[in-house]
Amino acid sequence: MDFQETLSLTITVLASFLIVIIIILLGWYIIWKALLSKFSLLRELLGVGNGDQPADNQPQIRAKKVRRD
């Protein structure tokens, strides 16, 4: 095998791996947006928070409603 064939083989293998990785990442993104982001356990494991939760350094104060009859 000469240099040109070796270079061609190397580029082909690297391009194949790159295509496979891109397809896997694209599939993960689509599945995340469609289904997996709905599960709070997965969001917590991956460290992806949603914006409607209060920050840890800002305590949330809830006032109790007192019923007066």
Side-chain angles (χ1 to χ4, degrees):
M1 237 192 322
D2 63 345
F3 178 73
Q4 188 175 8
E5 290 176 353
T6 305
L7 183 63
S8 176
L9 178 66
T10 305
I11 291 173
T12 303
V13 169
L14 289 176
S16 299
F17 280 127
L18 184 64
I19 290 171
V20 168
I21 289 172
I22 288 172
I23 289 172
I24 289 172
L25 290 176
L26 183 63
W28 173 259
Y29 178 76
I30 291 171
I31 291 172
W32 174 260
K33 285 295 190 180
L35 180 67
L36 295 178
S37 64
K38 310 284 189 277
F39 296 103
S40 60
L41 175 64
L42 287 176
R43 281 184 292 166
E44 186 174 333
L45 287 175
L46 294 175
V48 179
N50 51 5
D52 58 356
Q53 293 180 345
D56 291 338
N57 57 1
Q58 298 174 352
Q60 184 178 8
I61 300 172
R62 293 186 182 185
K64 291 186 176 181
K65 293 183 178 180
V66 178
R67 182 175 172 180
R68 297 181 185 183
D69 290 329

